[in-house]
Amino acid sequence: MLDFFTIFSKGGLVLWCFQGVSDSCTGPVNALIRSVLLQERGGNNSFNHEALTLKYKLDNQFELVFVVGFQKILTLTYVDKLIDDVHRLFRDKYRTEIQQHNAMSLLNGTFDFHSDFMRLLREAEESSKIRAPTAMKKFEDSEKAKKTVRSMIEIRGEKPKEKAKSNKKNKGAKKEGSEGSSPASKGAPTGKPDVPVGPGDGVELSKEELMRKKREEFMQKHGRGAEKSSKSSKSDAPKEKGKKAPRVWTLGGCANKEVLDYSPPTTNGTPETTLQEDINLIRGTQAGGQLQDLDCSSSDDEEVTKNSAKPSATKGALGGMFGMLKGLVGSKSLSREDMESVLDKMRDHLIAKNVAADIALQLCESVANKLEGKVMGTFSTVTSTVKQALQESLVQILQPQRRVDMLRDIMDAQRRQRPYVVTFCGVNGVGKSTNLAKISFWLLENNFSVLIAACDTFRAGAVEQLRTHTRRLSALHPPENHGGRTMVHLFEKGYGKDAAGIAMEAISFARNQAFDVVLVDTAGRMQDNAPLMTALAKLIAVNTPDLVLFVGEALVGNEAVDQLVKFNKALADHSMAQTPRLIDGIVLTKFDTIDDKVGAAISMTYITSKPIVFVGTGQTYSDLRSLNAKAVVAALMKA
């Protein structure tokens, strides 16, 4: 049973609608438009919204959309056939009204399609019932039933012949020699092992080669044993001489963590001795108060384009004319066959630029659905049309529905007299602590006070790393420059503690001390580690941060999809809330190491529909950028 079937234009005019239930179809259709059609995610023709499954088909020639909705728990096999039949009949019946491309004609037009739709629906339902279920394969039809008893009887005299026939060429020489010499050894004396073997027995080695091979095997066997024994006797002596002396514990007994802790004793608020460091080297050369757009172009690209433009000017007029006319499509509608070769090259190009293989396939499928049936101009090539459509889709993907503006949200939290809490999460070694320090510097440059919560209580040196960053940031923004106000502070409780409890205490401390922002650093964890993912979900559920940022590196390809999908799934599975908190944004690190292979940005944004908030481009505090979608797409499409 269908819930609804609607036909509307891409301009938003509803031409015809069928309601199978009393519930309105406005909400699901608007969700489809907002999440799929506007976001260029048309690779799959189905979309799930709450308890409904929506299937749709695009008519690019007449700019129409056909959408059918039914309950998710139902398995309706006739839906695809129904959409195709309705699409074909509606387009042929009202071709004249639709071809006018006038909004007033569509509004004033009468699309009496109910009786035709009900007829097509009955035919589709009956065709699905008539189709007989596939019968199970019988034993008589299998390969095993064709074997006879005679074929399974083994005859003793035929066994060596079968073995000789089934010998493979890549078997070892030793095995071949032993099998070939076995029949000859029956008639030979037992005291002579090296008997000449004739060529008729299937042995490829001659007598001299066989003797040489056996001699080498004998020498290797006995020589290696002697060498091993001599090496073991020699290696025992140095081990005894260089044996490490056991640690002598004070007053005997077991050692505790205080004995093994060689770091200087520090607590929250205790000032450390500042080291003589180059402040400009730490700070960087760029201004840190305002984020600059990411620039993916280079001077080498400009030189290449200049050099490539010179020989093109020397081409003859005739050759230029033939080159221009090559591949033109003269006022006809595009089909899948026309775009297939171009889309295959585009897909391979995207994968070479580090886009995940599945996402590259879905992008090309979305472009094919967008262009199929579209009428081309006279002087338009298939390659240029597909490339332009792909560029538009990529730019739309990198500009998702929700944009994160941290400064505006922080000022809104200030008016409510509470700290703005940001949690960083990600896998091991992607640069969470380093980019947390960069974001701290950016916030300090905008005159916001920052409290850093050291919730990575697992990795050795994690607290000391944040302590070093806090010291350097305090040197860049001392309290004297801000009226005696402490601008950056580290809240730490050591190692082996509960991260969720430390984050809760840090937020309470920031509220009492009037800090503007709390940046929570968490331990790196792989997406398959269930206990650590449970701990992260607990930290987010208990403290309810304002922003959850996933830190990922730009070097990954297919792994980016796996990481983000499993992080979101783990946060949803291990959360106790009815609407679990997922990832809100992405921090893309190590962007300066990938040249023009910027596909990880597309993979991460496509799989989560979340924006890339920050991009790390270096090792100093000012090496932080905001994403420029057009620059990334230009670098991605560069040959």
Coordinates of all heavy atoms in Angstrom, one line a residue, residues 149-205:
V149 N 28.7 -44.4 -9.2 CA 29.5 -45.2 -8.3 C 30.8 -45.6 -8.9 O 31.8 -45.6 -8.3 CB 28.7 -46.4 -7.8 CG1 29.5 -47.2 -6.9 CG2 27.4 -45.9 -7.1
R150 N 30.7 -45.8 -10.2 CA 31.9 -46.3 -10.9 C 33.0 -45.2 -10.9 O 34.2 -45.5 -10.8 CB 31.6 -46.6 -12.4 CG 32.7 -47.2 -13.2 CD 32.3 -47.5 -14.6 NE 33.4 -48.0 -15.4 CZ 33.7 -49.3 -15.4 NH1 33.0 -50.2 -14.7 NH2 34.7 -49.7 -16.2
S151 N 32.6 -43.9 -11.0 CA 33.6 -42.8 -11.0 C 34.3 -42.6 -9.7 O 35.3 -42.0 -9.6 CB 32.9 -41.5 -11.4 OG 31.9 -41.1 -10.5
M152 N 33.6 -43.2 -8.6 CA 34.2 -43.0 -7.3 C 35.1 -44.2 -6.8 O 35.6 -44.2 -5.8 CB 33.1 -42.8 -6.2 CG 32.4 -41.4 -6.4 SD 31.2 -41.1 -5.1 CE 29.8 -42.1 -5.7
I153 N 35.1 -45.3 -7.6 CA 36.0 -46.4 -7.3 C 37.4 -46.2 -7.7 O 37.7 -45.7 -8.8 CB 35.4 -47.7 -8.0 CG1 34.0 -48.0 -7.5 CG2 36.3 -48.9 -7.8 CD1 33.3 -49.2 -8.2
E154 N 38.3 -46.4 -6.8 CA 39.7 -46.2 -7.1 C 40.4 -47.6 -7.4 O 40.2 -48.5 -6.6 CB 40.4 -45.6 -5.9 CG 40.0 -44.2 -5.6 CD 40.7 -43.6 -4.4 OE1 41.5 -44.3 -3.8 OE2 40.5 -42.4 -4.1
I155 N 41.1 -47.7 -8.5 CA 41.8 -48.9 -9.0 C 43.2 -48.7 -8.6 O 43.8 -47.7 -8.9 CB 41.6 -49.1 -10.5 CG1 40.1 -49.2 -10.8 CG2 42.3 -50.4 -10.9 CD1 39.7 -49.3 -12.2
R156 N 43.8 -49.7 -8.0 CA 45.1 -49.6 -7.5 C 46.2 -49.5 -8.6 O 47.1 -48.7 -8.5 CB 45.5 -50.9 -6.7 CG 46.8 -50.8 -6.0 CD 47.0 -52.0 -5.1 NE 46.0 -52.1 -4.1 CZ 46.0 -53.1 -3.2 NH1 46.8 -54.1 -3.3 NH2 45.0 -53.1 -2.2
G157 N 46.0 -50.1 -9.7 CA 47.0 -50.0 -10.8 C 46.9 -48.6 -11.5 O 47.9 -48.2 -12.1
E158 N 45.8 -47.9 -11.4 CA 45.7 -46.6 -12.2 C 46.2 -45.4 -11.3 O 46.3 -44.4 -11.8 CB 44.3 -46.4 -12.6 CG 43.8 -47.4 -13.6 CD 42.3 -47.1 -14.0 OE1 41.7 -46.2 -13.4 OE2 41.8 -47.8 -14.8
K159 N 46.4 -45.7 -10.1 CA 46.8 -44.5 -9.2 C 48.1 -43.8 -9.5 O 48.1 -42.6 -9.6 CB 46.8 -45.0 -7.7 CG 46.9 -43.9 -6.7 CD 46.8 -44.5 -5.3 CE 46.8 -43.4 -4.3 NZ 46.7 -43.9 -2.9
P160 N 49.2 -44.6 -9.8 CA 50.4 -43.9 -10.2 C 50.3 -43.1 -11.5 O 50.9 -42.1 -11.7 CB 51.5 -45.0 -10.3 CG 50.9 -46.1 -9.5 CD 49.4 -46.0 -9.7
K161 N 49.5 -43.7 -12.4 CA 49.4 -43.0 -13.7 C 48.6 -41.7 -13.6 O 49.0 -40.7 -14.1 CB 48.6 -43.9 -14.7 CG 49.3 -45.2 -15.1 CD 48.5 -46.0 -16.0 CE 49.2 -47.3 -16.4 NZ 48.4 -48.2 -17.3
E162 N 47.6 -41.7 -12.7 CA 46.8 -40.5 -12.5 C 47.7 -39.4 -11.8 O 47.7 -38.2 -12.1 CB 45.6 -40.7 -11.6 CG 44.6 -41.6 -12.3 CD 43.4 -41.9 -11.4 OE1 43.5 -41.5 -10.3 OE2 42.5 -42.6 -11.9
K163 N 48.6 -39.9 -10.9 CA 49.5 -38.9 -10.2 C 50.5 -38.4 -11.2 O 50.8 -37.2 -11.2 CB 50.2 -39.6 -9.1 CG 49.4 -39.8 -7.9 CD 50.3 -40.3 -6.7 CE 49.5 -40.4 -5.4 NZ 50.3 -40.9 -4.3
A164 N 51.0 -39.2 -12.1 CA 51.9 -38.7 -13.1 C 51.3 -37.7 -14.1 O 51.9 -36.8 -14.5 CB 52.5 -39.9 -13.9
K165 N 50.0 -37.9 -14.4 CA 49.3 -37.0 -15.3 C 49.0 -35.7 -14.6 O 49.1 -34.6 -15.3 CB 48.0 -37.6 -15.8 CG 48.2 -38.8 -16.8 CD 46.9 -39.4 -17.2 CE 47.1 -40.6 -18.1 NZ 45.8 -41.2 -18.5
S166 N 48.7 -35.7 -13.4 CA 48.3 -34.5 -12.7 C 49.5 -33.7 -12.0 O 49.2 -32.8 -11.2 CB 47.3 -34.8 -11.6 OG 47.9 -35.7 -10.6
N167 N 50.7 -34.1 -12.3 CA 51.8 -33.4 -11.8 C 51.9 -32.0 -12.4 O 51.7 -31.8 -13.6 CB 53.2 -34.1 -12.1 CG 53.5 -35.2 -11.2 OD1 52.9 -35.2 -10.1 ND2 54.3 -36.2 -11.6
K168 N 52.1 -31.0 -11.6 CA 52.2 -29.6 -12.0 C 53.6 -29.2 -12.2 O 54.5 -29.7 -11.6 CB 51.5 -28.6 -11.0 CG 50.1 -28.9 -10.8 CD 49.5 -27.9 -9.8 CE 48.0 -28.2 -9.5 NZ 47.4 -27.3 -8.6
K169 N 53.8 -28.2 -13.1 CA 55.1 -27.8 -13.4 C 55.8 -27.0 -12.3 O 57.0 -26.9 -12.2 CB 55.1 -26.9 -14.7 CG 54.7 -27.7 -15.9 CD 54.7 -26.8 -17.1 CE 54.3 -27.5 -18.4 NZ 54.3 -26.7 -19.6
N170 N 55.0 -26.4 -11.5 CA 55.6 -25.5 -10.4 C 55.9 -26.3 -9.1 O 56.1 -25.7 -8.1 CB 54.7 -24.4 -10.1 CG 53.3 -24.8 -9.7 OD1 53.0 -26.0 -9.7 ND2 52.5 -23.9 -9.2
K171 N 55.9 -27.6 -9.2 CA 56.2 -28.4 -8.0 C 57.7 -28.3 -7.7 O 58.5 -28.1 -8.7 CB 55.8 -29.9 -8.1 CG 54.3 -30.1 -8.0 CD 54.0 -31.6 -8.0 CE 52.5 -31.8 -7.8 NZ 52.2 -33.2 -7.8
G172 N 58.2 -28.6 -6.5 CA 59.6 -28.5 -6.2 C 60.4 -29.6 -6.9 O 59.8 -30.7 -7.2
A173 N 61.7 -29.4 -7.1 CA 62.5 -30.3 -7.8 C 62.7 -31.6 -7.0 O 62.8 -32.7 -7.4 CB 63.8 -29.7 -8.2
K174 N 62.7 -31.4 -5.6 CA 62.9 -32.5 -4.7 C 61.8 -33.5 -4.8 O 62.0 -34.7 -4.8 CB 63.1 -32.0 -3.3 CG 63.5 -33.1 -2.3 CD 63.7 -32.4 -0.9 CE 64.0 -33.5 0.1 NZ 64.2 -33.0 1.4
K175 N 60.5 -32.9 -4.9 CA 59.4 -33.8 -4.9 C 59.3 -34.6 -6.3 O 59.0 -35.7 -6.3 CB 58.1 -33.0 -4.8 CG 56.8 -33.8 -4.6 CD 55.7 -32.9 -4.3 CE 54.4 -33.7 -4.1 NZ 53.3 -32.9 -3.8
E176 N 59.7 -33.9 -7.3 CA 59.7 -34.5 -8.7 C 60.7 -35.6 -8.7 O 60.5 -36.7 -9.2 CB 60.0 -33.5 -9.7 CG 58.8 -32.5 -9.9 CD 59.1 -31.5 -11.0 OE1 60.3 -31.6 -11.5 OE2 58.3 -30.7 -11.3
G177 N 61.9 -35.4 -8.1 CA 63.0 -36.4 -8.1 C 62.6 -37.6 -7.3 O 62.9 -38.8 -7.7
S178 N 61.9 -37.4 -6.2 CA 61.5 -38.6 -5.4 C 60.5 -39.4 -6.0 O 60.5 -40.6 -6.0 CB 61.1 -38.1 -4.0 OG 59.9 -37.3 -4.1
E179 N 59.5 -38.7 -6.7 CA 58.4 -39.5 -7.4 C 58.9 -40.2 -8.6 O 58.5 -41.3 -8.9 CB 57.3 -38.5 -7.8 CG 56.5 -38.1 -6.6 CD 55.4 -37.1 -7.1 OE1 55.3 -36.9 -8.3 OE2 54.7 -36.6 -6.2
G180 N 59.9 -39.6 -9.3 CA 60.4 -40.2 -10.5 C 61.3 -41.3 -10.2 O 61.4 -42.3 -11.0
S181 N 62.0 -41.3 -9.2 CA 63.0 -42.4 -8.8 C 62.4 -43.5 -8.2 O 63.0 -44.6 -8.0 CB 64.1 -41.8 -7.9 OG 63.6 -41.3 -6.8
S182 N 61.1 -43.4 -7.7 CA 60.5 -44.5 -7.0 C 60.2 -45.7 -7.8 O 60.5 -46.8 -7.4 CB 59.1 -44.0 -6.4 OG 58.3 -43.5 -7.4
P183 N 59.8 -45.6 -9.1 CA 59.6 -46.9 -9.9 C 61.0 -47.5 -10.3 O 61.1 -48.7 -10.4 CB 58.8 -46.4 -11.1 CG 59.0 -45.0 -11.2 CD 59.2 -44.5 -9.8
A184 N 62.0 -46.6 -10.5 CA 63.3 -47.2 -10.9 C 64.0 -47.8 -9.7 O 64.8 -48.7 -9.9 CB 64.1 -46.0 -11.5
S185 N 63.7 -47.4 -8.5 CA 64.4 -48.0 -7.4 C 63.9 -49.4 -7.0 O 64.5 -50.1 -6.2 CB 64.2 -47.1 -6.2 OG 62.8 -47.0 -5.8
K186 N 62.8 -49.8 -7.7 CA 62.3 -51.2 -7.3 C 63.3 -52.2 -7.9 O 63.6 -53.2 -7.3 CB 60.9 -51.4 -7.9 CG 59.9 -50.5 -7.2 CD 58.5 -50.8 -7.8 CE 57.5 -49.9 -7.1 NZ 56.1 -50.1 -7.7
G187 N 63.8 -52.0 -9.1 CA 64.7 -53.0 -9.7 C 66.1 -52.7 -9.4 O 67.0 -53.4 -9.9
A188 N 66.5 -51.7 -8.7 CA 67.9 -51.4 -8.4 C 68.3 -51.9 -7.1 O 67.5 -52.2 -6.2 CB 68.1 -49.9 -8.4
P189 N 69.6 -52.2 -6.9 CA 70.1 -52.6 -5.5 C 69.9 -51.6 -4.5 O 69.9 -50.4 -4.8 CB 71.6 -52.9 -5.8 CG 71.7 -53.0 -7.3 CD 70.7 -52.2 -7.9
T190 N 69.7 -52.0 -3.2 CA 69.4 -51.1 -2.2 C 70.6 -50.3 -1.7 O 70.5 -49.3 -1.1 CB 68.9 -51.9 -0.9 OG1 69.8 -52.9 -0.6 CG2 67.5 -52.5 -1.3
G191 N 71.8 -50.7 -2.0 CA 73.0 -50.1 -1.5 C 73.4 -48.9 -2.4 O 74.3 -48.2 -2.1
K192 N 72.8 -48.7 -3.6 CA 73.2 -47.6 -4.5 C 72.1 -46.6 -4.6 O 71.1 -46.9 -5.3 CB 73.6 -48.2 -5.8 CG 74.8 -49.1 -5.8 CD 75.1 -49.6 -7.2 CE 76.3 -50.6 -7.2 NZ 76.6 -51.1 -8.5
P193 N 72.1 -45.5 -3.9 CA 71.0 -44.6 -3.9 C 71.0 -43.8 -5.2 O 70.0 -43.4 -5.7 CB 71.1 -43.8 -2.7 CG 72.6 -43.8 -2.4 CD 73.1 -45.2 -2.8
D194 N 72.2 -43.5 -5.7 CA 72.3 -42.6 -6.9 C 72.3 -43.4 -8.1 O 73.4 -43.6 -8.7 CB 73.5 -41.7 -6.7 CG 73.4 -40.7 -5.6 OD1 72.3 -40.4 -5.2 OD2 74.4 -40.4 -5.0
V195 N 71.2 -43.9 -8.6 CA 71.2 -44.7 -9.8 C 70.7 -43.8 -10.9 O 69.8 -43.0 -10.8 CB 70.2 -45.9 -9.6 CG1 70.0 -46.7 -10.8 CG2 70.6 -46.7 -8.4
P196 N 71.3 -43.9 -12.1 CA 70.9 -43.1 -13.3 C 69.5 -43.4 -13.6 O 69.0 -44.5 -13.6 CB 71.9 -43.6 -14.4 CG 73.0 -44.2 -13.7 CD 72.5 -44.8 -12.4
V197 N 68.7 -42.3 -13.8 CA 67.3 -42.4 -14.1 C 67.1 -42.0 -15.6 O 67.6 -41.0 -16.0 CB 66.5 -41.5 -13.2 CG1 65.0 -41.6 -13.5 CG2 66.8 -41.8 -11.7
G198 N 66.4 -42.9 -16.3 CA 66.1 -42.6 -17.7 C 65.1 -41.5 -18.0 O 64.3 -41.2 -17.1
P199 N 65.1 -41.0 -19.2 CA 64.2 -39.9 -19.5 C 62.8 -40.4 -19.6 O 61.8 -39.6 -19.6 CB 64.7 -39.3 -20.8 CG 65.5 -40.5 -21.4 CD 66.0 -41.3 -20.3
G200 N 62.6 -41.7 -19.8 CA 61.2 -42.2 -20.0 C 60.4 -42.2 -18.7 O 59.2 -42.4 -18.8
D201 N 61.0 -42.0 -17.6 CA 60.3 -42.0 -16.3 C 59.7 -40.6 -15.9 O 59.3 -40.4 -14.8 CB 61.2 -42.5 -15.2 CG 61.5 -43.9 -15.4 OD1 60.7 -44.7 -15.9 OD2 62.7 -44.3 -15.0
G202 N 59.8 -39.6 -16.8 CA 59.3 -38.3 -16.5 C 60.1 -37.4 -15.7 O 59.6 -36.4 -15.1
V203 N 61.4 -37.6 -15.5 CA 62.3 -36.8 -14.7 C 63.1 -35.9 -15.6 O 63.8 -36.4 -16.6 CB 63.3 -37.7 -13.9 CG1 64.2 -36.8 -13.0 CG2 62.5 -38.6 -13.0
E204 N 63.1 -34.6 -15.4 CA 63.7 -33.7 -16.3 C 65.2 -33.5 -16.0 O 66.0 -33.1 -16.8 CB 63.0 -32.3 -16.2 CG 61.6 -32.4 -16.6 CD 60.9 -31.0 -16.5 OE1 61.6 -30.1 -16.0 OE2 59.7 -30.9 -16.8
L205 N 65.6 -33.8 -14.7 CA 67.0 -33.6 -14.3 C 67.9 -34.8 -14.8 O 67.5 -35.9 -14.7 CB 67.1 -33.5 -12.8 CG 66.4 -32.3 -12.1 CD1 66.5 -32.4 -10.6 CD2 67.0 -31.0 -12.6

